[in-house]
Amino acid sequence: MITAQDIIKTLVLAPLPLEGGYYAETYRSAFGTAIYYLLTEDSYSAMHRLPGDEIFHFYLGDPVEMLQLRPDGAGEVLTLGPDLLRGMRLQTVVAGGVWQGSRLRAGGSFALMGTTMAPGFDFADYVAGDGVQLSAEYPQHADRIKRLTRT
């Protein structure tokens, strides 16, 4: 059975600064970017926002719970994973300006995903979420925000 370490080695993934998880850029042009993105049981995607839309693609592994917090005050928890009949998604879009963070569902060991962005990702555009501030703005999601922030 494939492991997270097998995937890291095979796809030459590196730790993703600030956000967490592991990644490898697979495509970059003047118009867009694509990456492989791996979450493991000891990593998570910290709350952050980007100015452009980001499309997530689930490839293999265990389900991932993603929190999205919209500027209008609404929030949503969705699950990326292989079980379509139980409401999991193989693909989802995080609109530009929406706060996002994700981690494996409890008991999972890894999830391999990909993301694509147009215009392309630039580290200078990354805005880290502040747990205290986000919890105040989205109190209904405060427990999940606490588990998805580093500050």
Side-chain angles (χ1 to χ4, degrees):
M1 178 175 237
I2 194 167
T3 67
Q5 288 305 314
D6 293 333
I7 294 169
I8 290 168
K9 182 178 177 183
T10 302
L11 297 178
V12 193
L13 303 180
L16 181 55
L18 305 172
E19 182 177 342
Y22 300 85
Y23 83 112
E25 188 173 272
T26 58
Y27 176 78
R28 178 170 289 276
S29 75
F31 304 104
T33 56
I35 65 168
Y36 283 124
Y37 185 57
L38 179 76
L39 289 177
T40 62
E41 58 192 334
D42 59 353
S43 68
Y44 63 93
S45 170
M47 294 300 297
H48 66 284
R49 71 177 177 206
L50 298 167
D53 296 350
E54 184 173 21
I55 304 169
F56 279 77
H57 315 267
F58 182 87
Y59 297 135
L60 60 98
D62 300 307
V64 172
E65 292 179 343
M66 175 185 278
L67 175 61
Q68 293 186 20
L69 304 173
R70 291 183 277 290
D72 67 1
E76 175 184 19
V77 178
L78 56 95
T79 303
L80 289 154
D83 197 342
L84 299 176
L85 298 180
R86 294 191 185 246
M88 294 181 191
R89 302 177 187 191
L90 296 174
Q91 196 177 84
T92 195
V93 175
V94 180
V98 170
W99 291 103
Q100 61 166 300
S102 49
R103 69 180 328 124
L104 291 174
R105 184 178 276 178
S109 59
F110 74 85
L112 178 63
M113 298 174 285
T115 75
T116 53
M117 289 189 71
F121 176 80
D122 185 325
F123 280 102
D125 293 333
Y126 181 94
V127 178
D130 178 279
V132 173
Q133 182 178 346
L134 287 173
S135 292
E137 292 178 33
Y138 303 90
Q140 70 276 30
H141 296 287
D143 289 340
R144 195 171 296 271
I145 290 167
K146 184 177 181 180
R147 294 190 307 269
L148 290 171
T149 51
R150 304 193 197 286
T151 58

